[in-house]
Amino acid sequence: MKSVLKVCNMKTMVDVSNIRKAISKNEGVIACHISPEKGEVNVVYDNYSISLDDLTECIEDLGYTIL
């Protein structure tokens, strides 16, 4: 499954690094591409192992807002 998450308060490379680390810790994440210019996180994942809600929650737990 591929999903695009809009993250409104992601600006710096530190934000990108924090989000990448949080997403990568989850089992079932195959790939992710983060674009701070667009405020988007593209994630490819196995929806049998992890859900979109789980991915959203792991980013929100860091203090970012998902639109």
Side-chain angles (χ1 to χ4, degrees), residues 1 8-9 11 13 17 22 24 30-31 33-34 53 57 59 63:
M1 174 85 48
C8 70
N9 54 341
K11 304 274 189 255
M13 293 310 291
S17 178
S24 323
I30 298 165
H33 175 7
I34 303 171
D53 289 339
E57 185 177 333
I59 295 171

Side-chain angles (χ1 to χ4, degrees), residues 13-61:
M13 293 310 291
V14 172
D15 297 329
V16 171
S17 178
N18 290 339
I19 291 171
R20 186 180 313 276
K21 285 178 188 173
I23 289 174
S24 323
K25 288 181 184 177
N26 294 293
E27 184 176 333
V29 173
I30 298 165
C32 76
H33 175 7
I34 303 171
S35 173
E37 297 85 20
K38 294 181 181 178
E40 292 180 348
V41 178
N42 295 289
V43 186
V44 179
Y45 59 96
D46 177 5
N47 59 339
Y48 292 109
S49 300
I50 190 166
S51 70
L52 182 58
D53 289 339
D54 293 334
L55 291 170
T56 301
E57 185 177 333
C58 83
I59 295 171
E60 287 178 337
D61 285 349

